[in-house]
């Protein structure tokens, strides 16, 4: 695999401008420094890079294609293309960084991968990587989410992972993070905490971005071959921000390519707790060990956040996004629940692709751009497929879209 892991940012201490870094206890800092050193070594190690490239090709099914959505384009008037990360093994982009992290953990002699999960997507991708590489896997998950996301819990257990319920507080993602952190601190030597997006203390925002950059590197070459040039616009949804940076990274130096990150406006962008639009509504602060824009309540605690898409439901965002916002290299927009659900059904019916409800936010914004007069090309990252969402979407919204619940 070509070594594309060469960047000027972050700096040695993990900062993108003023954002990022590592704000953790001394004892853990030592462990994170070891991870940083090990990561630096593997980016120079052809054997590692070739093993990862081989898994991407033969296990994940890479390269994922770019699809020219001709019907959608004709209907709305801009040329819309999609990078099909939904076609990856396990159904989303997350397998790209889970395999990288799992291979690194194995190289470091770790025995067990651990992580928290909200909707279960990161948990399933990590449990998959653990099964493949013969590592143990503990996934921490809020008791409420365990009930709501039952199929993913079953998947993780079938794959041999242990799902550990977080039973305190609101029993959702934030409590799962707390529980995973407690579990990690007990034994950071044999365990590896595999963070699920471009967030957390250094080196994770850098490392997860680098593992995801395969998406944009492929896309750039594919788009060139299909059209003879670069896309005019890139669009991706932003939860923590890994699928967005994965696609955008390869184009950051191409000044003519505009980049749009789409945040969830949920039920109401103007009411705290009813959205998760961190870059649009947040302020810089420190949370979960790194500095970035975040949504805080009056006490400085992470705000309750909400989106119909559990994968976008996070009160902070990757530090590189905060930096790209401040230097105005990326533009951040919002799409609300209703617009995302409309796009979910629209893409299903016009192109025969059922998107993840997270990815539907990107689809909705691409459609909106076209409706507002954009005539150039738009390449969006279709970060995942919607199988996981069909039950709750048809239950909540199906009747508005002519889906009769047959049960
Ligand atoms: C988890 C997830 C996201 C959000 O995570 P990012 O790190 O922002 O990419 C988006 N789409 C899908 C399908 C997901 O599973």
């Amino acid at each position: 695999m070509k070594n594309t892991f060469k960047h000027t940012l972050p700096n040695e201490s993990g900062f993108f401008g003023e954002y990022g870094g590592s704000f953790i206890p001394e004892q853990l800092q030592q462990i994170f420094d070891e991870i940083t050193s090990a990561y630096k070594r593997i980016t120079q190690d052809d054997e590692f890079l070739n093993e990862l490239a081989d898994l991407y090709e033969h296990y994940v099914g890479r390269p994922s294609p770019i699809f020219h959505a001709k019907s959608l384009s004709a209907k709305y008037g801009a040329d819309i293309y999609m990078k099909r990360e939904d076609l990856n093994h396990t159904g989303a982009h997350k397998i790209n960084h889970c395999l990288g992290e799992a291979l690194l953990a194995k190289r470091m002699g770790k025995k067990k991968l651990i992580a928290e999960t909200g909707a279960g997507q990161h948990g399933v991708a990590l449990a998959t990587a653990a099964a493949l590489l013969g590592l143990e896997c503990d996934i921490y998950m809020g008791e409420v989410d365990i009930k709501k996301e039952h199929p993913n819990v079953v998947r993780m257990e079938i794959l041999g992972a242990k799902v550990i319920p977080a039973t305190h507080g609101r029993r959702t993602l934030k409590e799962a993070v707390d529980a995973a952190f407690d579990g990690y601190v007990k034994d950071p030597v044999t365990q590896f905490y595999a963070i699920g997006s471009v967030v957390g203390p250094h080196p994770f925002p850098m490392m997860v971005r680098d593992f995801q950059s395969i998406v944009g590197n492929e896309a750039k070459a594919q788009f060139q071959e299909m059209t003879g040039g670069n896309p005019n616009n890139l669009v991706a949804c932003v939860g923590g921000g890994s699928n967005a940076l994965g696609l955008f990274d390869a184009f950051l130096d191409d000044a003519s390519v505009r980049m749009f990150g789409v945040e969830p406006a949920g039920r109401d962008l103007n009411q705290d707790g009813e959205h998760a639009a961190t870059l649009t509504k947040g302020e810089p602060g420190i949370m979960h060990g790194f500095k970035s824009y975040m949504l805080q309540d009056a006490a400085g605690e992470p705000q309750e956040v909400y989106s119909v898409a559990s994968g976008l439901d996070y009160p902070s965002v990757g530090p590189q996004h905060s930096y790209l916002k401040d230097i105005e290299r990326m533009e951040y927009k919002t799409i609300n629940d209703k617009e995302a659900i409309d796009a979910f059904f629209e893409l299903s019916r016009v192109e025969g692709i059922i998107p993840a409800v997270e990815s539907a936010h990107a689809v909705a914004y691409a459609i909106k751009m076209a409706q507002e007069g954009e005539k150039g090309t738009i390449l969006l990252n279709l970060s995942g497929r919607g199988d996981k969402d069909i039950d709750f979407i048809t239950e909540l919204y199906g009747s508005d879209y002519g889906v009769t619940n047959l049960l």
Side-chain angles (χ1 to χ4, degrees):
M1 182 160 78
K2 193 170 103 218
N3 185 352
T4 53
F5 297 174
K6 286 195 172 59
H7 293 85
T8 51
L9 287 175
N11 70 11
E12 279 295 308
S13 326
F15 281 94
F16 304 85
E18 66 177 287
Y19 303 106
S22 177
F23 300 84
I24 52 178
E26 191 54 39
Q27 165 218 8
L28 272 187
Q29 187 57 52
Q30 214 179 320
I31 301 275
F32 275 67
D33 289 345
E34 282 169 27
I35 297 173
T36 305
S37 309
Y39 176 67
K40 278 195 187 136
R41 279 198 299 279
I42 56 116
T43 61
Q44 309 297 327
D45 177 345
D46 283 341
E47 197 185 313
F48 180 94
L49 296 174
N50 289 335
E51 190 174 355
L52 186 57
D54 185 69
L55 290 178
Y56 281 164
E57 181 178 352
H58 300 287
Y59 189 70
V60 179
R62 306 205 67 89
S64 64
I66 285 182
F67 171 65
H68 185 193
K70 294 199 186 76
S71 304
L72 204 65
S73 301
K75 187 166 172 184
Y76 293 100
D79 245 334
I80 302 175
Y81 294 79
M82 305 177 178
K83 180 65 169 161
R84 297 289 309 275
E85 292 299 294
D86 61 313
L87 295 177
N88 294 342
H89 178 46
T90 66
H93 69 290
K94 286 196 173 74
I95 192 72
N96 300 329
H97 62 245
C98 284
L99 284 174
E101 289 180 302
L103 269 182
L104 174 62
K106 197 164 175 174
R107 279 290 175 98
M108 292 180 74
K110 308 284 182 186
K111 299 279 176 272
K112 187 190 278 183
L113 299 174
I114 70 164
E116 80 287 344
T117 194
Q121 294 303 108
H122 176 54
V124 169
L126 195 66
T128 300
L132 175 73
L133 298 176
L135 296 165
E136 293 171 49
C137 185
D138 284 356
I139 301 295
Y140 294 81
M141 193 169 181
E143 237 174 10
V144 170
D145 289 333
I146 287 178
K147 288 216 175 61
K148 188 172 151 200
E149 309 289 348
H150 186 250
N152 274 344
V153 176
V154 176
R155 274 184 199 112
M156 288 183 265
E157 291 192 335
I158 290 174
L159 289 162
K162 194 159 105 194
V163 179
I164 302 173
T167 55
H168 67 291
R170 288 168 51 95
R171 296 174 291 151
T172 61
L173 181 60
K174 186 185 166 295
E175 289 74 22
V177 176
D178 299 340
F181 196 77
D182 290 346
Y184 182 54
V185 174
K186 278 187 198 126
D187 181 7
V189 175
T190 62
Q191 303 187 107
F192 186 95
Y193 194 156
I195 293 178
S197 187
V198 285
V199 299
H202 183 60
F204 284 88
M206 165 179 81
M207 192 162 79
V208 171
R209 172 200 67 195
D210 292 351
F211 288 137
Q212 285 296 345
S213 66
I214 180 93
V215 176
N217 289 330
E218 284 176 7
K220 194 168 190 178
Q222 290 168 316
F223 202 85
Q224 178 79 35
E225 197 177 308
M226 287 171 89
T227 70
N230 271 337
N232 300 114
N233 304 282
L234 300 176
V235 175
C237 64
V238 175
S242 67
N243 88 87
L245 281 182
L247 176 64
F248 297 178
D249 186 59
F251 298 91
L252 282 172
D253 292 335
D254 299 306
S256 65
V257 180
R258 293 181 73 187
M259 301 179 178
F260 298 90
V262 184
E263 298 195 298
R267 284 186 286 248
D268 186 352
L269 188 59
N270 294 313
Q271 207 177 318
D272 291 354
E274 294 295 312
H275 65 81
T278 309
L279 290 157
T280 308
K281 287 287 186 178
E283 299 285 342
I286 294 171
M287 185 174 109
H288 294 161
F290 66 103
K291 181 172 180 189
S292 198
Y293 277 77
M294 55 186 278
L295 293 165
Q296 290 169 282
D297 64 18
E301 288 294 305
Q303 211 178 79
E304 297 297 338
V305 285
Y306 163 81
S307 163
V308 67
S310 315
L312 303 181
D313 206 346
Y314 184 58
S316 183
V317 67
Q320 191 171 358
H321 283 285
S322 295
Y323 172 73
L324 291 168
K325 174 190 161 82
D326 283 5
I327 65 166
E328 299 181 0
R329 178 62 187 96
M330 261 181 83
E331 298 167 61
Y332 294 89
K333 306 289 179 180
T334 62
I335 284 293
N336 65 29
D337 282 5
K338 169 79 170 67
E339 294 167 315
I341 300 296
D342 280 349
F344 173 91
F345 282 101
E346 186 68 359
L347 188 65
S348 300
R349 286 165 185 189
V350 176
E351 299 287 0
I353 299 171
I354 303 177
V357 67
E358 290 82 10
S359 323
H361 285 70
V363 176
Y365 188 69
I367 290 175
K368 195 182 231 180
M369 281 179 82
Q371 285 173 323
E372 289 172 355
E374 173 63 44
K375 291 282 173 271
T377 52
I378 301 172
L379 172 61
L380 70 86
N381 198 357
L382 202 69
S383 54
R385 59 177 172 247
D387 310 31
K388 66 187 178 58
D389 301 314
I390 56 177
D391 288 338
F392 87 88
I393 286 189
T394 50
E395 193 180 317
L396 288 176
Y397 308 98
S399 58
D400 298 342
Y401 299 86
V403 179
T404 327
N405 198 332
L406 298 174
L407 292 177

